[in-house]
Amino acid sequence: MKKANQPLADRTADLLVDYIVKFQLEPGDRLPNEYELATSLEVGRSTIREAVRRLVARNILEVRQGSGTYVSSRRGVADDPLGFSFIKDTYQLTQDLFEIRLLLEPRVAAKAAQNATDEDCQRLLDLVERIEESYDLGTEDHVQLDVELHSLLTKMSGNLALDSLLPVIHQSISLINHNFSNQFMQEDSRAAHRAILEAVCDRDAVRAYDAMLRHILSVSSDFEKNQHGDSET
Amino acid sequence: MKKANQPLADRTADLLVDYIVKFQLEPGDRLPNEYELATSLEVGRSTIREAVRRLVARNILEVRQGSGTYVSSRRGVADDPLGFSFIKDTYQLTQDLFEIRLLLEPRVAAKAAQNATDEDCQRLLDLVERIEESYDLGTEDHVQLDVELHSLLTKMSGNLALDSLLPVIHQSISLINHNFSNQFMQEDSRAAHRAILEAVCDRDAVRAYDAMLRHILSVSSDFEKNQHGDSET
């Protein structure tokens, strides 16, 4: 009985995804309640519950206790969506992730410079300052703030696919390399972030491209040195 | 009772992932049976079943009826892992996916040329010929074969992260644009695939870079023309 129910829950989950797309629900929007969904999809409430559970597992929905079921801000992007945790050689993987950043992000910075609004620049400056503050205070906040800085630039670039992809690349690099940050690298990043910020907010696409290229080359070469240092001591 | 069981199944699923990583299980490897897993993880068999179900949903495991539970060849990469199905503007999304290919794949082709073995070249030739056959016969096989061709080049390039990422980009483009292929574009691709094959198997990295760049620019401009044609008729 329980087994026969599995495919029905899968189909119901698909119908819920169709529902979200059809009614253009945005992250944070609330779904109709269990009873309404069961009625309109013509299945039992336990099937709705099971379908919702699946979509929660896929980061498509989130259940807020006592409030209801909402479209998740994760937009269906799973933890480790590309299965990087199954790659054993994390040193090689990190270098390969930097290679991807090297190919993608200079162009992101150039397009961000072309599209930058004054509001964007205010937000960029705010993030850069908060990262510097975190360096000064010795907190770990800069890791997440750095992902946000690069995500904002990506959003400004207007490439919808990169908007999903690049945060995954950044998160993976920082997840794999928990301790990957030192005083020397932070001084480096501090100057690089300022250079990118200035170029983008001068709307100078070419300078933004070069500043980002230089930043990524420098972070990835710091990473190599750091690893070699580790193995020598 | 059932509700209280959910977090235990989640924790058990995490333990199974740790098990796969720790014992370096490869895709196609078989997991110990339910009874053994239940004993070694100290949970009930129904919890193991529920945990396995979750990992099947995440494409980490696959259950072969009457045979057992295996590590999936999908390596935990979900269907639509980056949530592209939630992006409404599919025309813009497709152009943005082509922009990503444009930035990544010329370098993939160049590295493939540097690393190509004779065996690789035999496999490339085989794929190119099967794609041409599919064009000739008017079948749809070329869509999947084209993904395989680009995946093989990516594997040859040696970038572990791109090996997970690029197939997702390719699959997304073909899923979003079901009918995106016509006689004109096929003639174009036929010549382009031959040019890439020749450059890679001459071990000419620069020529391979250029051939791939030309191929992607041409496919993406065909896509634009095709869309405009559609809206005009």
Side-chain angles (χ1 to χ4, degrees):
Chain A
M1 185 63 186
K2 214 176 160 195
K3 215 166 184 177
N5 203 30
Q6 290 305 124
L8 181 58
D10 287 333
R11 279 202 305 277
T12 306
D14 289 344
L15 289 175
L16 287 177
V17 171
D18 292 345
Y19 180 92
I20 294 168
V21 173
K22 187 176 160 203
F23 290 99
Q24 312 207 342
L25 297 190
E26 295 289 334
D29 284 352
R30 195 163 166 275
L31 251 64
N33 68 35
E34 229 170 54
Y35 176 77
E36 290 168 316
L37 288 174
T39 309
S40 81
L41 300 181
E42 298 182 346
V43 295
R45 289 171 65 176
S46 67
T47 304
I48 294 289
R49 260 197 302 276
E50 185 55 38
V52 166
R53 215 171 277 143
R54 270 155 222 235
L55 296 178
V56 168
R58 286 168 58 195
N59 289 333
I60 290 171
L61 295 178
E62 60 190 44
V63 175
R64 296 183 200 156
Q65 227 46 266
S67 163
T69 303
Y70 295 81
V71 178
S72 168
S73 58
R74 307 278 309 265
R75 290 180 171 273
V77 178
D79 307 312
D80 188 29
L82 297 171
F84 292 146
S85 57
F86 293 96
I87 296 177
K88 280 157 232 149
D89 188 343
T90 55
Y91 176 68
Q92 170 80 43
L93 175 61
T94 305
Q95 286 188 310
D96 291 347
L97 289 167
F98 277 124
E99 186 177 32
I100 293 178
R101 290 190 53 190
L102 195 68
L103 294 170
L104 297 176
E105 291 195 61
R107 184 164 171 127
V108 165
K111 291 178 95 177
Q114 289 187 335
N115 300 336
T117 65
D118 291 343
E119 204 191 332
D120 289 331
C121 284
Q122 194 49 54
R123 290 179 60 201
L124 284 176
L125 175 63
D126 179 56
L127 283 168
V128 166
E129 286 178 346
R130 284 165 65 200
I131 291 172
E132 292 173 351
E133 216 173 84
S134 163
Y135 289 160
D136 291 339
L137 296 172
T139 64
E140 290 299 312
D141 297 352
H142 63 87
V143 178
Q144 188 51 41
L145 290 168
D146 192 72
V147 174
E148 280 178 44
L149 176 65
H150 287 273
S151 298
L152 176 54
L153 289 168
T154 307
K155 215 170 277 297
M156 290 164 66
S157 82
N159 185 310
L160 300 175
L162 282 177
D163 203 24
S164 300
L165 171 61
L166 272 178
V168 171
I169 305 279
H170 282 265
Q171 293 284 13
S172 299
I173 292 177
S174 57
L175 278 177
I176 301 165
N177 304 283
H178 309 286
N179 311 311
F180 168 49
S181 176
N182 60 36
Q183 196 57 41
F184 174 66
M185 286 160 59
Q186 291 185 1
E187 283 313 310
D188 231 33
S189 289
R190 198 186 283 258
H193 288 158
R194 285 283 170 179
I196 293 166
L197 173 70
E198 271 175 37
V200 166
C201 295
D202 284 350
R203 278 70 172 174
D204 186 332
V206 173
R207 191 146 53 84
Y209 185 101
D210 291 350
M212 183 63 89
L213 186 65
R214 217 173 283 124
H215 176 42
I216 298 172
L217 280 173
S218 149
V219 180
S220 75
S221 105
D222 285 346
F223 166 75
E224 270 181 60
K225 277 183 226 147
N226 204 43
Q227 292 287 313
H228 287 292
D230 275 5
S231 58
E232 276 161 20
T233 50
Chain B
M1 184 64 187
K2 213 176 161 195
K3 215 166 186 179
N5 202 31
Q6 290 306 124
L8 181 59
D10 287 333
R11 280 202 304 278
T12 307
D14 289 344
L15 289 175
L16 287 176
V17 170
D18 291 346
Y19 180 92
I20 293 168
V21 173
K22 186 174 162 206
F23 290 100
Q24 312 207 342
L25 297 190
E26 295 289 334
D29 284 352
R30 196 163 165 274
L31 250 65
N33 68 37
E34 226 171 58
Y35 176 77
E36 290 167 315
L37 288 174
T39 309
S40 81
L41 300 181
E42 299 182 346
V43 296
R45 290 171 65 177
S46 67
T47 304
I48 294 288
R49 259 196 302 276
E50 185 57 36
V52 166
R53 216 172 276 145
R54 269 154 222 234
L55 296 178
V56 167
R58 287 168 55 196
N59 289 332
I60 290 172
L61 295 178
E62 60 190 43
V63 174
R64 297 184 200 153
Q65 227 44 267
S67 163
T69 303
Y70 295 81
V71 178
S72 167
S73 58
R74 307 278 308 267
R75 290 179 170 275
V77 178
D79 307 312
D80 188 29
L82 297 171
F84 292 147
S85 57
F86 293 96
I87 296 177
K88 280 157 230 150
D89 188 345
T90 55
Y91 176 69
Q92 171 80 43
L93 174 61
T94 305
Q95 285 187 311
D96 291 347
L97 288 167
F98 276 124
E99 185 177 34
I100 293 178
R101 289 190 54 190
L102 196 67
L103 294 170
L104 298 176
E105 291 196 60
R107 185 163 170 127
V108 165
K111 292 178 95 177
Q114 290 188 332
N115 299 336
T117 65
D118 291 343
E119 203 191 332
D120 290 331
C121 285
Q122 194 49 55
R123 289 178 60 201
L124 284 176
L125 175 62
D126 178 56
L127 283 168
V128 166
E129 286 178 345
R130 284 164 65 200
I131 291 171
E132 292 173 351
E133 218 172 82
S134 163
Y135 289 160
D136 292 338
L137 296 171
T139 64
E140 290 300 311
D141 297 353
H142 63 87
V143 178
Q144 188 51 40
L145 290 167
D146 192 73
V147 175
E148 281 178 43
L149 177 65
H150 288 272
S151 298
L152 176 54
L153 288 168
T154 307
K155 215 170 277 301
M156 291 164 66
S157 82
N159 185 309
L160 301 174
L162 282 178
D163 204 24
S164 299
L165 171 60
L166 273 178
V168 171
I169 305 279
H170 281 266
Q171 294 284 12
S172 300
I173 292 177
S174 57
L175 279 176
I176 301 165
N177 303 283
H178 309 286
N179 312 312
F180 168 50
S181 176
N182 60 36
Q183 196 57 41
F184 174 67
M185 286 160 59
Q186 291 185 1
E187 283 313 311
D188 231 32
S189 289
R190 200 187 281 258
H193 288 159
R194 285 283 169 179
I196 293 166
L197 173 69
E198 272 175 37
V200 167
C201 294
D202 284 349
R203 277 71 172 174
D204 186 333
V206 174
R207 190 145 52 85
Y209 185 102
D210 292 349
M212 183 64 89
L213 186 66
R214 217 173 282 125
H215 175 41
I216 298 172
L217 282 172
S218 148
V219 180
S220 74
S221 105
D222 285 345
F223 167 74
E224 270 181 59
K225 278 183 226 148
N226 204 42
Q227 292 287 316
H228 287 292
D230 275 6
S231 58
E232 276 162 21
T233 52

